[in-house]
Amino acid sequence: MAAVPCELSKIMIAETSDYHVIWLREKTGACRDFPILIGLFEAVAIDRKIREVETPRPLTHDLLASTISTLSGELEKVVVTELKNNTFYASLMIRQNGSVVEVDSRPSDAIALAVRLETPIFVEDSVIDQVT
């Protein structure tokens, strides 16, 4: 499978809904884009980082970033890997001790972490084909 480089193009936080939306867009080529519904906490975490809002204590995604670093790892990239039964799946690709460890993740958490660490976001071509 081929993974396509993408970027976070938009975030929509709705005060009256349990679901919020992020939009991913291809960086090159056809520049296809698609939405992913996410929860409030992940939406706020992404939004705070984009707007450079500091928090007095580390939040969950800060903790995960710190944990990866403390364990001598580096988040190499995040990949939205699959769309199954209207649910997106993702993986964190963490380089540690010369090899890459793949960790299952919700796309919202993976993207919140990628935004925080300025890590590349990829989406499997088959996923983009399903949603565009």
Side-chain angles (χ1 to χ4, degrees):
M1 288 188 178
V4 178
C6 291
E7 62 189 353
L8 178 66
S9 65
K10 187 180 351 178
I11 181 169
M12 297 172 60
I13 299 175
E15 293 180 18
T16 59
S17 175
D18 289 339
Y19 296 99
H20 312 281
V21 184
I22 54 174
W23 286 79
L24 297 181
R25 177 179 45 226
E26 286 180 295
K27 283 185 157 185
T28 60
C31 292
R32 298 173 289 181
D33 64 347
F34 64 95
I36 298 177
L37 295 176
I38 65 173
L40 176 62
F41 297 116
E42 296 78 20
V44 169
I46 293 166
D47 186 59
R48 280 186 176 151
K49 180 58 181 172
I50 290 170
R51 291 187 300 118
E52 299 179 358
V53 174
E54 296 293 324
T55 58
R57 297 287 298 142
L59 300 177
T60 304
H61 300 99
D62 301 315
L63 173 64
L64 183 53
S66 177
T67 301
I68 291 169
S69 176
T70 300
L71 295 173
S72 301
E74 176 188 353
L75 184 61
E76 192 168 271
K77 64 183 174 181
V78 300
V79 183
V80 177
T81 58
E82 192 174 7
L83 174 60
K84 185 170 43 175
N85 298 323
N86 295 317
T87 301
F88 289 92
Y89 293 81
S91 292
L92 306 175
M93 307 305 278
I94 302 170
R95 181 164 296 282
Q96 184 185 41
N97 300 325
S99 62
V100 175
V101 178
E102 183 174 346
V103 178
D104 184 35
S105 175
R106 296 183 308 176
S108 55
D109 290 320
I111 292 164
L113 193 57
V115 168
R116 182 157 268 89
L117 296 174
E118 299 178 4
T119 301
I121 300 168
F122 289 83
V123 179
E124 291 292 345
D125 214 8
S126 61
V127 173
I128 294 177
D129 288 343
Q130 287 179 53
V131 295
T132 59

